Amino acid sequence: MENFNLILTGVGGQGIITLLQVIDEAAAVEGYDVKSSELHGLSQRGGSVEAHIRFGKKVFSPMVSNGQADLIFALEAMEGLRESAKAGKQARLLVNEYTLPLVGAPTKEEIIKQLKAGKNALYMVPASADCKEKLQNDIVCTLYMVGYAVAKKLMPIKKESALQAIKNVIPQKYLELNIKAFELGHDK
Amino acid sequence: MKKILLGNEAIIQGSLAAGVSYVSGYPGCPSAEIGDDFAKIAAKYGVYVEWATNEKVGLESAIGASFSGLKTLVNMKSFGINVCSDSLLPLAYTGTKGAMVIVVADDPSCWSSAQTEQNSRAYSQFGHIPTLEPADPQECYDFTKLAFEISEKFKTPVILHTTTRVNHQKMPVIFEEVKTGNQFKKGEFIKNPHQFTTMPPRTLEMKKELLDKIKKIQAFTEKSKINEIDLGKGSVGIITSGVSYLHVKEALKVLKLDLPVLKLGFFYPLPEEKIKKFIKPLKKLLVVEELDNYFERELNVLTRIANAKLQIFGKNVLPVIGELNTEKVCVALAKVMGKKFLEFKIRNLKLEIPRRTARLCEGCPYWYVFPTLKRVAPNAIFTGDIGCNMIAGMSPHNIQDTLFSMGASLGIAHGVSKSTNQKVISIMGDGTFFHAGISPLLNAVYNKSKPLMIILDNRITAMTGHQQNPGMGKTLMGEDTTEVNIEEIAEACGVKNIKVLDPINMKELEGTVKEFLEKDEISLIICKRICALLERRQKKS
Ligand SMILES: Cc1ncc(C[n+]2csc(CCOP(=O)(O)OP(=O)(O)O)c2C)c(N)n1
C-alpha cells in the first residue's frame, strides 16, 4: 500500500489533538509506520485548526501535500468545505454535519449544497447531533466519526485496532463514553 | 520502549536518559510542552522544573545550576533567545560545568508567533554555540542525548534548534525507560572565578579558548554519525537538515529520483571536510533549508576551495519566507533537474469563506475591556502587547496601533507620550508584566511620561497554554509560593494613580479611564478577572 494521507480539520477546542492521538495509535497498532503534525497555541482560540497524519510502510514527512489527501476528516462543515479546495480526485470527505457560527459565513444549507456539488465522494454524518442526543456530550463526536470511518472502510484501520487505540489513549475516566461514541458511529 | 511521542515529549525523554536534573525556561509556542509536561513527571525522577520570569532569567538560573555541577535543560521559543542573548554570549566564553542543552524552537510561517518570522540559527554562529537540528521526534530524543554528551565533553552549552513541525510532530519513538524514585540531588558550587567571571584581559583569553574549543568540536563533527550521507546516483546532490530533510526524501520519491543527500545533524560547527568530500564529484548542488540561507552562504565559501565549478541552487529556487514542504522542494528539484512538476492547483470555491482567526473565548474578561476603551477613548493611541490581549487588534475590536515584543507596549507608549500631546493607552497581560513590563514602568515614572497603562490580569499566562506566573502563588511544580501583587510593584516603582477593578463593572472601568486619561503622570488600571477557560477548568476539577 502507498502511504495513507489524512487531514483532520475543525475549529480550535473541538478535540482534534485527541482525535489525532487515537488515529496515530490505531495506525501503530496496525503495524504501520506513522507520523503526524499538529498545531498548538493561537489556533486553540476558536481559529481553524488542521492536523495531518500519514501512515504506511515508511513515512518521512509528517505533512500531506495539497491534492494528496486520501481522507479529509472534518469536524465542522465549513472547515470541511474550505479544505475540500485542496483535495485531489481520490480524496473522500467525511464531514460532521455541524457548523460553528462565524460573522460573514455562508449558511449551513449553502455549505452543504456546495459540499454536495463537489466531485469528491462525500460522507455527511450527524456526529455532533447524535452524540448530543444519545450521549449528552458532543465533544466525543470525534470518536463517533472514527467509528463511522472504520465501518465504512474510509481508512485502512480495523475495528479491533481502533478499539485498542482508544483504550491506549483515552483516560480510564472517559473510556466508556468514548467507546460508546465510537460504537454509535460504527453502527450508523 | 516504543511509544508515540510528540517532539517535545521526546526531548523530555532524551533529557531524562541523559540524567538531567534541573530544567528552566520560559513558555512559548512551539516549545511550551517541554516545561509543562516535564513538570507533570519531574518529581518522580528527582528533577527540578521551573518557569522563570523570562528567558534571560531562565538561562541564568540554568547557568547557576550548571556551575553547581547539575545537568540542565533550558527551553524557549525563538524570541526567547533574543531576550537571553546577553547572558548566552558570555556563557559561550565561560563554558559550562554541568552539561547544558538549550532548546530554541523557531516557528517558520508564524503559526503561533506574532512579531517576526525569526531564524534563530544566527545566534549559533554569532555566539559560537554548537547546534544540532533534529528532523523528527526520534531524532529529538537521540539528538538531545547527544547534545548532553557534547556539552559534557566540551564544557559548552549546546543548542537544540527545532521548528514547529519538529516540536509538534508525532511518531513512534524508541527510547530507554528511565527508572523512577530518585530524589533531587543537590550539587556544589566550587569557586572558580578564573573560569566563571568574564573580565578583561581574561575576556580576550577566554575568546581564544572558545575558538580553540570550536575547532576541536569541528573535528568531532567530522566523525559524527549525525551528519549522514544517503547514497545516490549522478552528479546532482542535496544538502539539507532538520525537517527539510523529510521533505527532501518525499520529494525524491515523488520525482522518482535517486540523488545523494547529505543530511547535516550539526548546524554549527559544520563538518567542512565531509562537505567538501561530498560536493567534490558533483556538478550541481541543491541546498534545502528553511528561511535564511545560512548553509548556502557557507557552501559558497567551501565550494571555492573544493569544487569551483559546482553550480549551487538554494534560495534562487526555494522561498525565504514561510516553512518548506514536499511540494516546494519538488518544484525546486524539478527546476534543478530540468524535470516537469505540476503543482497542485487549489480550486476556487463558489462560496466566499471567511477566515476563522483567533478570537476571544466565550466569557473572556477582555470582552468587557476592549469595547469600553474604544468607546471612552476613540482617539487614543493604543500600544499593544503579546498574548491573548493582542486580539485587541482584530475585528471587532480593532484597537491596536503598535505590536512589537513582550513588554514593548509600555516602552513605546512612553515614547509616544513624550513626543506628542496625544492620549496613549498601553495594554499588557499579567504574564508579560512580570516578564518585561516592570522595567518600562519604572522608565515611564523616572522619565516622567503620562500614558495610561492597562494591565489585563487574568490570573495566568493564557495564550501559551495556561502557565503559572508570579502573580498566582503557585510554581510550575505546584508548590505554594509568594503571590506577587502587581499594584504593590507599581506602587514601589512610584506610580501614584493605581486602580484595581473587575472589568465586568464597566461603569467603574469607564469612569476610571476618563479620570486617569486626564492625569499629568503615568496611571495604571489593573483589570483583574480570571481567564474564562481557567475558571471553567477550575470548576470542573
Ligand atoms: C520573548 C518571548 N517569549 C515568549 C513568548 C510567547 N508568548 C506569547 S504570548 C505570551 C504571554 C502572554 O501572557 P499574558 O501576558 O499573561 O497575556 P494573556 O495571554 O493572558 O492575555 C508569551 C509568553 C514571546 N512572544 N516572546
Side-chain angles (χ1 to χ4, degrees):
Chain A
M1 162 186 124
E2 284 280 306
N3 287 334
F4 190 80
N5 296 327
L6 194 62
I7 294 181
L8 312 179
T9 181
V11 178
Q14 280 196 295
I16 272 209
I17 303 288
T18 308
L19 170 63
L20 172 136
Q21 268 176 310
V22 169
I23 300 177
D24 271 5
E25 184 70 20
V29 171
E30 286 277 352
Y32 294 123
D33 184 25
V34 55
K35 273 195 181 147
S36 60
S37 176
E38 60 201 63
L39 292 170
H40 299 207
L42 195 61
S43 47
Q44 287 179 346
R45 314 269 179 265
S48 310
V49 276
E50 191 184 298
H52 293 193
I53 303 177
R54 305 183 66 221
F55 57 88
K57 220 157 147 194
K58 172 77 193 159
V59 178
F60 289 104
S61 172
M63 285 152 73
V64 178
S65 293
N66 287 342
Q68 296 299 314
D70 295 297
L71 177 63
I72 289 171
F73 198 120
L75 301 181
E76 200 268 356
M78 188 171 87
E79 296 309 315
L81 178 59
R82 190 197 308 278
E83 195 61 47
S84 71
K86 293 190 270 171
K89 290 194 292 288
Q90 78 290 354
R92 296 194 271 189
L93 265 46
L94 171 60
V95 181
N96 186 7
E97 203 175 321
Y98 168 77
T99 53
L100 265 162
L102 178 70
V103 180
T107 62
K108 187 169 172 179
E109 290 67 39
E110 282 177 298
I111 291 168
I112 292 173
K113 202 173 126 204
Q114 281 303 315
L115 275 166
K116 286 185 174 154
K119 292 208 170 67
N120 295 93
L122 176 69
Y123 301 80
M124 292 280 284
V125 286
S128 288
D130 272 3
C131 288
K132 199 162 196 170
E133 187 197 315
K134 303 203 172 97
L135 305 171
Q136 288 76 50
N137 181 322
D138 59 355
I139 192 86
V140 289
C141 69
T142 52
L143 268 292
Y144 175 110
M145 289 173 70
V146 173
Y148 186 88
V150 166
K152 294 285 180 292
K153 298 197 165 38
L154 301 182
M155 52 185 183
I157 302 271
K158 290 190 280 295
K159 184 176 181 187
E160 309 83 74
S161 310
L163 282 170
Q164 185 59 48
I166 295 171
K167 284 180 197 135
N168 294 354
V169 166
I170 304 288
Q172 193 58 39
K173 211 163 96 187
Y174 306 111
L175 191 58
E176 205 192 311
L177 176 67
N178 278 274
I179 291 180
K180 271 191 192 154
F182 175 88
E183 294 290 359
L184 200 58
H186 192 271
D187 297 340
K188 180 74 190 173
Chain B
M1 170 110 174
K2 188 171 180 184
K3 205 177 148 192
I4 295 177
L5 295 183
L6 190 66
N8 285 336
E9 294 170 324
I11 291 171
I12 295 174
Q13 287 302 329
S15 307
L16 282 172
V20 76
S21 68
Y22 194 97
V23 182
S24 189
Y26 192 80
C29 208
S31 62
E33 295 82 16
I34 298 172
D36 287 340
D37 290 346
F38 217 144
K40 290 178 197 150
I41 58 168
K44 64 179 182 197
Y45 293 102
V47 175
Y48 169 77
V49 186
E50 67 179 16
W51 285 134
T53 45
N54 66 36
E55 291 87 350
K56 181 166 185 285
V57 180
L59 176 66
E60 287 154 356
S61 158
I63 293 172
S66 162
F67 286 0
S68 305
L70 303 188
K71 278 194 189 172
T72 63
L73 176 74
V74 188
N75 62 96
M76 63 188 72
K77 79 171 291 166
S78 55
F79 309 137
I81 198 168
N82 308 338
V83 175
C84 78
S85 60
D86 213 15
S87 286
L88 181 62
L89 270 59
L91 176 62
Y93 279 41
T94 64
T96 50
K97 189 167 176 200
M100 187 193 299
V101 174
I102 305 170
V103 181
V104 180
D106 275 348
D107 184 23
S109 285
C110 292
W111 292 110
S112 34
S113 306
Q115 53 216 67
T116 63
E117 193 189 39
Q118 171 168 322
N119 187 340
S120 301
R121 294 156 119 199
Y123 287 95
S124 309
Q125 297 173 337
F126 171 52
H128 301 290
I129 301 165
T131 300
L132 309 184
E133 294 190 314
D136 61 26
Q138 182 67 56
E139 287 190 355
C140 282
Y141 178 76
D142 297 335
F143 285 22
T144 300
K145 275 174 69 181
L146 178 65
F148 273 104
E149 281 166 32
I150 295 168
S151 176
E152 187 82 43
K153 186 174 163 80
F154 295 100
K155 302 287 170 222
T156 171
V158 176
I159 291 178
L160 191 76
H161 175 244
T162 56
T163 55
T164 299
R165 298 299 182 180
V166 178
N167 296 88
H168 288 164
Q169 187 184 149
K170 281 192 178 123
M171 73 182 278
V173 175
I174 299 167
F175 63 101
E176 137 198 4
E177 245 175 303
V178 176
K179 78 172 186 357
T180 55
N182 288 341
Q183 294 288 320
F184 175 70
K185 259 223 312 279
K186 295 217 167 164
E188 186 186 356
F189 186 104
I190 299 165
K191 293 184 186 219
N192 185 359
H194 179 73
Q195 198 56 42
F196 298 161
T197 52
T198 52
M199 197 139 47
R202 176 77 183 113
T203 310
L204 300 181
E205 207 176 279
M206 287 172 130
K207 182 173 176 183
K208 169 87 173 44
E209 289 166 11
L210 171 61
L211 297 178
D212 289 345
K213 193 191 278 185
I214 290 297
K215 274 208 191 100
K216 288 202 188 105
I217 300 174
Q218 183 155 23
F220 174 90
T221 70
E222 297 287 0
K223 288 186 231 108
S224 171
K225 281 205 255 348
I226 69 166
N227 299 313
E228 48 184 338
I229 294 176
D230 294 347
L231 296 176
K233 297 190 194 81
S235 58
V236 182
I238 299 174
I239 290 185
T240 185
S241 76
V243 76
S244 305
Y245 169 74
L246 304 181
H247 305 320
V248 164
K249 294 298 276 186
E250 295 290 348
L252 288 171
K253 232 163 64 181
V254 172
L255 295 175
K256 300 193 171 56
L257 291 167
D258 178 21
L259 308 180
V261 179
L262 171 55
K263 175 185 185 294
L264 295 169
F266 271 85
F267 170 73
Y268 179 88
L270 284 177
E272 293 185 1
E273 295 310 317
K274 194 171 219 164
I275 293 174
K276 283 188 209 157
K277 224 160 104 195
F278 178 77
I279 59 177
K280 194 141 200 183
L282 300 179
K283 290 207 174 78
K284 288 180 181 178
L285 175 71
L286 174 63
V287 184
V288 183
E289 62 189 322
E290 287 182 313
L291 312 185
D292 313 81
N293 58 348
Y294 291 106
F295 279 146
E296 194 181 343
R297 274 185 253 162
E298 297 288 324
L299 276 156
N300 273 319
V301 178
L302 288 177
T303 41
R304 242 173 271 153
I305 309 164
N307 178 357
K309 286 205 198 106
L310 181 70
Q311 207 184 346
I312 299 183
F313 296 84
K315 291 298 160 181
N316 53 349
V317 288
L318 283 162
V320 190
I321 300 169
E323 66 181 5
L324 296 183
N325 57 34
T326 300
E327 211 172 16
K328 290 178 190 174
V329 177
C330 282
V331 171
L333 252 179
K335 276 185 195 153
V336 174
M337 302 301 290
K339 267 187 146 220
K340 258 221 177 92
F341 174 75
L342 279 183
E343 261 181 285
F344 181 81
K345 276 215 184 62
I346 296 177
R347 280 191 305 277
N348 271 330
L349 291 170
K350 295 207 180 69
L351 279 177
E352 187 82 38
I353 303 185
R355 260 187 69 192
R356 208 186 277 273
T357 51
R359 61 190 169 90
L360 297 179
C361 302
E362 212 181 295
C364 175
Y366 303 174
W367 278 117
Y368 303 102
V369 181
F370 300 156
T372 308
L373 292 176
K374 194 169 173 171
R375 197 175 59 248
V376 181
N379 299 319
I381 306 303
F382 289 97
T383 56
D385 223 302
I386 306 286
C388 292
N389 53 81
M390 66 197 171
I391 293 175
M394 295 179 179
S395 208
H397 320 288
N398 301 317
I399 51 159
Q400 189 162 263
D401 295 304
T402 65
L403 186 72
F404 272 71
S405 61
M406 289 185 78
S409 60
L410 189 57
I412 295 173
H414 165 78
V416 176
S417 169
K418 291 296 277 188
S419 320
T420 68
N421 286 323
Q422 291 165 282
K423 304 278 184 210
V424 193
I425 301 180
S426 81
I427 303 178
M428 188 189 289
D430 52 329
T432 301
F433 178 71
F434 294 116
H435 178 285
I438 301 172
S439 185
L441 183 59
L442 203 52
N443 179 61
V445 171
Y446 172 56
N447 286 311
K448 303 201 291 186
S449 62
K450 46 185 186 184
L452 165 59
M453 179 185 199
I454 309 267
I455 295 181
L456 298 171
D457 183 5
N458 60 355
R459 316 298 302 139
I460 201 155
T461 300
M463 168 147 277
T464 39
H466 280 174
Q467 286 83 13
Q468 297 73 0
N469 72 39
M472 295 171 60
K474 283 273 184 228
T475 68
L476 172 56
M477 289 181 80
E479 274 181 56
D480 289 328
T481 182
T482 307
E483 186 177 320
V484 177
N485 219 316
I486 298 176
E487 60 269 33
E488 284 175 11
I489 295 180
E491 236 174 78
C493 287
V495 182
K496 302 220 174 55
N497 316 299
I498 303 175
K499 179 91 177 189
V500 185
L501 51 76
D502 181 342
I504 200 166
N505 302 318
M506 286 163 79
K507 271 268 157 310
E508 188 185 10
L509 173 61
E510 184 173 332
T512 314
V513 171
K514 278 186 188 151
E515 181 195 336
F516 280 8
L517 276 176
E518 296 311 314
K519 298 279 181 198
D520 231 8
E521 58 208 342
I522 182 166
S523 50
L524 169 65
I525 302 175
I526 301 170
C527 296
K528 193 164 173 177
R529 188 173 181 82
I530 188 171
C531 160
L533 285 185
L534 179 64
E535 191 180 26
R536 269 173 243 160
R537 200 164 302 163
Q538 282 177 352
K539 274 196 190 131
K540 245 196 214 166
S541 60

